[in-house]
Amino acid sequence: MATAPELLTPELVIRPMRALDVAEVVAIERAAYQFPWSEGIFRDCLRVGYVCRVVAASRRLFAYGVMSFGAGEAHILNLCVDGPWRERGVGKQLLASLLERATAAGMTEAFLEVRPSNTAAIRLYQSAGFEQVGMRRGYYQAAGGREDAAVLRRALPASGVPAT
Ligand SMILES: CC(C)(COP(=O)(O)OP(=O)(O)OC[C@H]1O[C@@H](n2cnc3c(N)ncnc32)[C@H](O)[C@@H]1OP(=O)(O)O)[C@@H](O)C(=O)NCCC(=O)NCCS
């Protein structure tokens, strides 16, 4: 099903990620994370039909998010804003858009993992209503070995659309 782009500002829209976007997404990913996803992971996410969105202007990308659905639950797998565009509300709007999409698809809860050291992301998720419900020990690669992941959850409003 085609998804109409959402207008973020007159210049920025949130639209589905395309295969042609992947090189640019990977460049942002590599600059953002010490242990980035590979190009192949993004291509697999597109291939299996995960919800993959980008924040874009006509000539470049500013942010992206990836989300999967299963058993009534949305799982936010990646959310990233290009460095110079952070702290301007882009991440918050992209997250809200993903959660709206999950609600429209009939999901009742959203989950994600985040490094406890990632203050910016934790602040973003808390401001969007997520609360910590658990901890996965040694979940992430880290410079000195492994780092735990905090598991965050929030309920989604009923959409009236049954989950498929
Ligand atoms: C986490 C990230 C997506 C936030 O995106 P952003 O566009 O900068 O966030 P926003 O400007 O929309 O801010 C959202 C909220 O987070 C807060 N926030 C954002 N960056 C912050 C920072 N560096 N320190 C503290 N709070 C911060 C904002 O103040 C805002 O809070 P509010 O809603 O209470 O006003 C961005 O920092 C990023 O891409 N980081 C690298 C990738 C990453 O770590 N992704 C998360 C993986 S789980």
Side-chain angles (χ1 to χ4, degrees), residues 36 51 68 113 130 153:
V51 176
S68 65
E113 281 86 23
F130 281 85
R153 172 202 174 268

Side-chain angles (χ1 to χ4, degrees), residues 33 79-81 86-92 113-114 118 120-121 123-125 127:
Y33 295 109
L79 185 84
C80 186
V81 178
R86 289 180 195 157
E87 297 187 59
R88 300 184 191 200
V90 173
K92 196 168 189 171
E113 281 86 23
V114 61
N118 193 343
R123 179 71 191 269
L124 164 65
Y125 298 135
S127 85

Side-chain angles (χ1 to χ4, degrees), residues 5-162:
E6 294 166 51
L7 209 55
L8 206 61
T9 71
E11 296 82 28
L12 296 186
V13 295
I14 299 175
R15 64 160 173 79
M17 188 187 296
R18 306 168 187 138
L20 278 174
D21 296 321
V22 170
E24 207 175 339
V25 164
V26 168
I28 296 171
E29 171 86 7
R30 287 189 178 143
Y33 295 109
Q34 198 179 358
F35 300 97
W37 282 10
S38 66
E39 181 177 332
I41 292 178
F42 285 104
R43 293 201 184 283
D44 283 348
C45 289
L46 286 171
R47 187 175 49 77
V48 300
Y50 286 173
V51 176
C52 303
R53 295 283 182 272
V54 294
V55 177
S58 58
R59 301 178 77 92
R60 60 159 294 188
L61 303 184
F62 298 87
Y64 53 87
V66 177
M67 174 175 68
S68 65
F69 294 154
E73 296 173 0
H75 199 146
I76 311 248
L77 301 170
N78 200 337
L79 185 84
C80 186
V81 178
D82 196 10
W85 287 83
R86 289 180 195 157
E87 297 187 59
R88 300 184 191 200
V90 173
K92 196 168 189 171
Q93 291 184 69
L94 178 56
L95 178 61
S97 170
L98 291 175
L99 295 176
E100 274 172 29
R101 176 78 183 79
T103 300
M107 300 302 118
T108 57
E109 297 178 287
F111 288 88
L112 57 87
E113 281 86 23
V114 61
R115 291 177 192 262
S117 59
N118 193 343
T119 314
I122 289 172
R123 179 71 191 269
L124 164 65
Y125 298 135
Q126 284 175 339
S127 85
F130 281 85
E131 292 177 347
Q132 186 172 337
V133 291
M135 188 72 89
R136 295 192 203 283
R137 299 286 168 204
Y139 182 83
Y140 289 114
Q141 270 186 284
R146 310 290 301 180
E147 183 175 351
D148 297 342
V151 182
L152 274 55
R153 172 202 174 268
R154 66 155 278 184
L156 297 173
S159 67
V161 179

